[in-house]
Amino acid sequence: MSGSQVVVVGAGIAGLAAAHRLVRSGARVTVLEASDRVGGKLLPGEIAGARVDLGAESMLARRPEAVTLAREAGLGDRLQPPATATASIWTRGALRPMPKGHVMGVPGTAEALAGVLSEEGLARIAQDAELPRTEVGDDVAVGEFVAARLGREVVDRLVEPLLGGVYAGDAYRISMRSAVPQLFQVARTHTSLTEGVREIQARMAATQQTGPVFTGIEGGVGTLPLAVADAVRAQGGEIVTGAPVSELRREASGGWRVVAGDRVLHADAVIVAVPAPAAARLLRTEAPEAATELDTVEYASMALITLAYRRSDTALPEGSGFLVPPVDGRTIKASTFASQKWGWIAEENPDVVVLRTSVGRHGETEILERDDADLVDVSRHDLRAATGLDAAPLETRVTRWTDGLPQYPVGHHARVARVREHVAKLPGLAVCGAQYDGVGIPACIASAHAAVDQIRGDLTAVRELTANPVQSLHGGAGE
């Protein structure tokens, strides 16, 4: 990679992670970002003087990619697990402790969901051991399979809000193979789903996966892309904002021509790290089949409502917040007690309490058409009903993420494979981002690393062909 010119299109966390890996390998890198800032769905902000996240606020800590990147970007001493690991679920008219002993809401025993489900719902779980095998085929919807094994109440009261918190989607449409692969594997090998979940839990215990599931960053996860961008620049990389790419063409030389405004760049390789609609537009000319596949990716929109209160006016339940099952008919789908979840927020702002709510799921458009004041009002209404909080906030902020979360329907893995198959026909071109292998921060970083590794292999093959054309074409001088 040393000396190669690579263009990265998109400066979300995937594009920045790709650029970071590239500059560390000696490549000359230019990152082109259409908007006026880096970071994508990671956005630091402020409310009532308190530093907060206005986008994603935590990273999965049991995968190494995000934690490693944060350390490499100089944020190692600012990594912080949540101050509390307890949470609730607001269902059947009350805040109830979030059950333990489940995998994305799927329990290993009926007792694990006691208090959240009705007696009928708990009894239905017990039937799993007696039911004949449920075939999953090449893929199946999470909700469909779990409801068949354990009953709809498990899906509606627990799986749905947990999956909704990740994808803002519908559990009855979301791919189990792509979204919860560990469940898909046990579904293929076990007749009893609860038995399979117990096996997953035993494996986790055997590998000592007992530390914090998630981690945050002092100052907010939104500071991660800023630090990575600084690290890229410090190693000679260029990051240009306000530079939408309008053209991506293969050149006769085998390289790439990239047009962004009045800039024309010539690159040995290009990584496209933008959402599916933008990626489809860029790939339309050179990889039309990949563009057609990307055109089918659906997105969910959502909004985050951040509220700041005087601490003297606020008495919240213990824990980090609560999830809300859609079946209960509430407007908000979750609330995070940010000042209780993140110790650094409480320490920096002893007189202020910060909360967040979220609204919007896939297919819901009416709620997001309301103005900011209405979204604050419905959030306050539901917070009052759930927690008794009736004080007037000091300040509020509404952050809208239009088309923010790609959806992973049944068959998503096959669509991604087809996209990559078409892109792979064009050496020096790779794609990465949330629409491929996972929407979480570590998954996006892993996707970026895979894209870099792909083009590294492409460029190595080109150099070998150029250096030894006869041997490369005919398999060796001895033939």
Side-chain angles (χ1 to χ4, degrees):
M1 292 291 289
S2 182
S4 298
Q5 177 67 54
V6 184
V7 170
V8 178
V9 184
I13 192 59
L16 291 171
H20 185 257
R21 192 175 182 90
L22 287 163
V23 295
R24 284 164 64 93
S25 67
R28 294 176 291 125
V29 178
T30 300
V31 182
L32 301 173
E33 166 59 38
S35 74
D36 61 359
R37 66 174 186 86
V38 303
K41 307 304 182 297
L42 308 185
L43 177 62
E46 186 177 292
I47 185 167
R51 295 188 295 168
V52 295
D53 277 307
L54 300 176
E57 62 164 3
S58 64
M59 314 181 299
L60 189 64
R62 289 183 178 171
R63 286 190 61 163
E65 296 90 352
V67 170
T68 299
L69 182 61
R71 288 178 175 144
E72 290 173 348
L75 300 179
D77 60 347
R78 287 168 51 189
L79 291 167
Q80 286 193 15
T84 174
T86 62
S88 301
I89 185 160
W90 185 26
T91 188
R92 299 168 57 223
L95 282 177
R96 303 171 186 274
M98 180 64 69
K100 301 183 184 301
H102 64 84
V103 175
M104 195 54 79
V106 181
T109 65
E111 291 75 17
L113 304 192
V116 171
L117 269 57
S118 67
E119 291 299 323
E120 294 80 5
L122 295 173
R124 176 62 181 82
I125 293 174
Q127 295 177 24
D128 171 62
E130 304 165 3
L131 291 172
R133 183 178 182 82
T134 303
E135 296 297 334
V136 298
D138 191 52
D139 198 2
V140 67
V142 179
E144 175 189 340
F145 182 81
V146 175
R149 299 300 314 177
L150 310 180
R152 288 185 65 99
E153 197 172 342
V154 173
V155 179
D156 294 344
R157 301 267 177 212
L158 197 57
V159 175
E160 184 80 82
L162 283 164
L163 271 179
V166 179
Y167 294 95
D170 178 354
Y172 292 95
R173 295 183 71 245
I174 293 175
S175 160
M176 185 157 70
R177 180 167 180 166
S178 294
V180 200
Q182 66 270 46
L183 280 183
F184 183 71
Q185 289 305 315
V186 299
R188 298 178 73 178
T189 57
H190 292 67
T191 295
S192 166
L193 180 57
T194 51
E195 179 185 333
V197 169
R198 292 195 296 273
E199 183 176 296
I200 292 172
Q201 293 166 340
R203 260 198 321 265
M204 292 174 64
T207 55
Q208 298 182 330
Q209 293 187 35
T210 56
V213 177
F214 296 98
T215 191
I217 298 175
E218 179 187 339
V221 166
T223 62
L224 176 61
L226 302 179
V228 176
D230 287 344
V232 169
R233 294 187 184 101
Q235 295 181 82
E238 180 186 20
I239 299 175
V240 186
T241 57
V245 175
S246 59
E247 183 180 326
L248 175 61
R249 292 293 183 95
R250 181 81 182 221
E251 296 186 305
S253 64
W256 294 88
R257 180 176 186 267
V258 184
V259 179
D262 58 0
R263 295 188 58 158
V264 178
L265 292 85
H266 300 277
D268 298 303
V270 175
I271 293 178
V272 177
V274 292
R281 288 193 296 273
L282 289 178
L283 297 176
R284 189 84 60 203
T285 300
E286 300 293 345
E289 299 96 339
T292 298
E293 294 287 352
L294 289 167
D295 281 333
T296 68
V297 178
E298 298 181 47
Y299 280 77
S301 299
M302 62 174 298
L304 293 173
I305 298 91
T306 308
L307 308 100
Y309 293 86
R310 290 184 182 85
R311 185 171 294 277
S312 58
D313 294 341
T314 309
L316 294 173
E318 293 183 356
S320 61
F322 59 88
L323 296 175
V324 188
V327 71
D328 281 312
R330 308 293 183 177
T331 302
I332 66 173
K333 66 179 186 179
S335 178
T336 301
F337 306 157
S339 291
Q340 294 181 181
K341 185 173 183 178
W342 303 112
W344 59 270
I345 295 180
E347 291 166 7
E348 291 180 1
N349 310 278
D351 299 323
V352 175
V353 170
V354 179
L355 289 77
R356 302 196 330 170
T357 67
S358 59
V359 301
R361 298 178 177 87
H362 181 253
E364 290 183 355
T365 56
E366 183 276 332
I367 182 64
L368 293 170
E369 291 171 355
R370 302 187 191 184
D371 63 23
D372 288 1
D374 282 343
L375 293 183
V376 170
D377 286 344
V378 297
S379 293
R380 292 186 62 198
H381 174 274
D382 281 358
L383 284 169
R384 183 165 53 248
T387 71
L389 177 61
D390 199 25
L394 290 169
E395 189 178 339
T396 63
R397 291 196 63 171
V398 175
T399 311
R400 297 172 186 269
W401 295 106
T402 303
D403 294 335
L405 287 169
Q407 298 300 288
Y408 283 21
V410 173
H412 174 77
H413 71 287
R415 177 173 61 194
V416 170
R418 291 191 297 270
V419 170
R420 289 200 166 118
E421 180 183 357
H422 295 311
V423 169
K425 297 173 184 176
L426 299 166
L429 179 66
V431 295
C432 62
Q435 65 267 37
Y436 302 105
D437 306 305
V439 299
I441 297 171
C444 289
I445 296 169
S447 175
H449 290 174
V452 172
D453 293 345
Q454 177 194 323
I455 65 168
R456 178 185 287 124
D458 291 346
L459 295 178
T460 299
V462 168
R463 282 198 297 270
E464 290 176 352
L465 179 62
T466 303
N468 302 289
V470 175
Q471 181 173 340
S472 298
L473 287 171
H474 299 291
E479 290 191 352

